[in-house]
């Protein structure tokens, strides 16, 4: 088992990029100054709990990013089209002000298996925000692209779904998506505490409350790991990398790993892995 996990040698480099990127998200500066006439790549992640915009250079190095929390998407499906467009326009304007350049093209993403209609809606939101949408990819595959993962399994814990992509020697061998995610943690917490889901979401994000909250949502995490173990028809390839904002709990990875029965890796700032990977597909 230890021999297999040694193959994942790109996590350190990815973590360095993520740490630099996290420092400039929603700030008034970029990681570096742009060169004259520099071409940029933009990734847009229309998530259940937030909409994230990332900007990379032509070498796929992160430059800047911005996000807003929202409720415009549910289980990977856009349920409030105009709200999504307005949020994305604000993020676009914010990024353009910091970078001093107009952002013209972008790439979006959808949970795997949600179909052409979902991809079309995502493309329409991006186009309505005054981008040219060059591509729409599936989310865990985008995460693997950022992680430079050739062989392994990416588990993308979204707000509404758990997406799993299995790779072997640079080829995607299987991709599945199941309806359990961060929003389900929120629902369990709301039910347990007898509060509204919006209150539960804020409670879930409070790191000071984690010690009391995690035992309540632990069964949801165990279900996510069980889904990962049973939903794929192929063998789970190692290393297993889990990404997504819903995994930012101290005990998430130990719990997930124990149920899965194998080691699991968590990148720094896992909520930004997929959005950055999406941006890597914004090219001709």
């Amino acid at each position: 088992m230890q021999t297999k996990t040694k193959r994942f040698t790109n996590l350190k480099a990815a973590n360095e990029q993520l740490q630099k990127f996290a420092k400039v998200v929603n700030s008034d500066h970029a990681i570096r100054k742009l060169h004259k006439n520099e071409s940029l790549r933009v990734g847009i992640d229309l998530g259940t709990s937030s909409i994230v915009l990332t900007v990379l250079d032509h070498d796929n190095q992160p430059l800047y990013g911005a996000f807003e929390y929202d409720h415009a998407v549910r289980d990977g499906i856009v349920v409030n089209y105009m709200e999504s467009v307005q949020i994305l326009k604000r993020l676009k304007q914010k990024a353009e002000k910091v970078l001093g350049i107009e952002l013209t093209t972008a790439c979006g993403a959808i949970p795997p298996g949600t179909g052409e209609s979902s991809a079309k809606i995502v493309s329409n939101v991006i186009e309505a925000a005054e981008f040219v949408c060059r591509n729409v990819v599936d989310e865990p595959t985008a995460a693997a692209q950022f992680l430079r993962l050739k062989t392994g399994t990416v588990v993308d814990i979204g707000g509404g779904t758990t997406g799993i992509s299995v790779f072997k020697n640079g080829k995607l061998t299987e991709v599945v998506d199941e309806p359990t995610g961060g929003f389900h943690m929120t629902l369990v917490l709301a039910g347990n505490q007898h509060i509204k889901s919006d209150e539960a979401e804020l409670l879930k994000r409070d790191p000071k409350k984690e010690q009391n909250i995690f035992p309540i949502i632990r069964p949801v995490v165990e279900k996510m790991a069980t889904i990962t173990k049973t939903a794929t028809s192929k063998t789970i390839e190692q290393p297993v990398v889990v990404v997504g904002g819903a995994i930012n709990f101290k005990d998430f990875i130990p719990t997930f790993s124990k149920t899965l029965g194998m080691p699991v890796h968590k990148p720094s700032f896992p909520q930004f892995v997929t959005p950055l990977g999406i941006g890597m597909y914004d090219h001709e």
Side-chain angles (χ1 to χ4, degrees):
M1 186 174 292
Q2 290 182 345
T3 303
K4 289 185 178 181
T5 58
K6 286 181 179 179
R7 292 181 297 179
F8 188 38
T9 58
N10 296 322
L11 185 59
K12 182 179 179 180
N15 282 342
E16 289 174 355
Q17 288 186 321
L18 288 163
Q19 289 160 8
K20 290 179 182 178
F21 178 78
K23 290 179 180 179
V24 301
V25 170
N26 283 346
S27 71
D28 60 356
H29 64 279
I31 289 177
R32 65 168 176 79
K33 291 184 178 180
L34 300 186
H35 305 308
K36 188 176 181 180
N37 300 322
E38 186 169 359
S39 62
L40 302 179
R41 297 176 175 181
V42 176
I44 294 167
D45 188 359
L46 302 177
T48 298
S49 61
S50 65
I51 293 179
V52 186
L53 181 149
T54 60
V55 184
L56 299 80
D57 65 18
H58 68 284
D59 290 324
N60 290 326
Q61 297 300 305
L63 291 175
Y64 181 73
F67 76 93
E68 282 190 28
Y69 290 114
D70 79 289
H71 298 290
V73 180
R74 278 285 178 267
D75 297 342
I77 306 299
V78 176
V79 296
N80 192 322
Y81 182 86
M82 290 309 301
E83 182 181 343
S84 298
V85 172
Q86 292 304 317
I87 291 173
L88 187 51
K89 281 184 175 181
R90 289 197 295 268
L91 297 178
K92 182 177 188 287
Q93 291 168 0
K94 183 184 294 186
E96 289 175 340
K97 182 178 180 181
V98 172
L99 296 169
I101 188 174
E102 182 182 6
L103 302 175
T104 58
T105 65
C107 178
I110 57 174
T114 51
E116 292 184 9
S117 61
S118 180
K120 182 61 177 175
I121 293 172
V122 168
S123 176
N124 287 343
V125 170
I126 292 172
E127 298 273 353
E130 301 177 0
F131 290 97
V132 174
C133 183
R134 280 180 165 167
N135 207 344
V136 177
V137 299
D138 78 74
E139 293 164 351
T141 300
Q145 180 78 352
F146 175 75
L147 295 167
R148 276 78 172 180
L149 187 67
K150 299 299 183 183
T151 296
T153 303
V154 175
V155 183
D156 190 346
I157 309 292
T161 63
T162 295
I164 306 152
S165 289
V166 182
F167 296 86
K168 180 77 170 180
N169 299 325
K171 294 183 179 180
L172 178 65
T173 61
E174 187 168 16
V175 57
V176 296
D177 195 59
E178 295 290 335
T180 300
F183 185 61
H184 298 81
M185 294 180 181
T186 302
L187 292 179
V188 168
L189 184 59
N192 179 272
Q193 298 294 299
H194 306 290
I195 57 178
K196 295 180 180 180
S197 61
D198 287 350
E199 296 176 66
E201 181 66 27
L202 293 175
L203 186 62
K204 187 182 73 175
R205 294 176 192 165
D206 187 349
K208 295 178 182 178
K209 308 288 187 179
E210 180 176 340
Q211 187 173 355
N212 296 324
I213 290 170
F214 192 80
I216 299 170
I217 63 174
R218 183 187 300 273
V220 184
V221 177
E222 292 170 342
K223 182 179 179 181
M224 292 171 178
T226 300
I227 287 171
T228 302
K229 183 162 53 175
T230 61
T232 58
S233 60
K234 306 288 185 183
T235 300
I236 296 175
E237 294 289 341
Q238 294 192 58
V240 178
V241 189
V242 185
V243 302
I247 74 171
N248 277 319
F249 293 94
K250 178 174 60 69
D251 290 330
F252 186 102
I253 293 301
T255 300
F256 194 98
S257 178
K258 181 178 179 180
T259 303
L260 186 63
M262 62 182 67
V264 175
H265 299 269
K266 172 190 171 184
S268 300
F269 301 98
Q271 66 270 36
F272 297 134
V273 171
T274 298
L276 286 166
I278 295 169
M280 297 172 75
Y281 288 90
D282 179 22
H283 57 80
E284 298 287 356

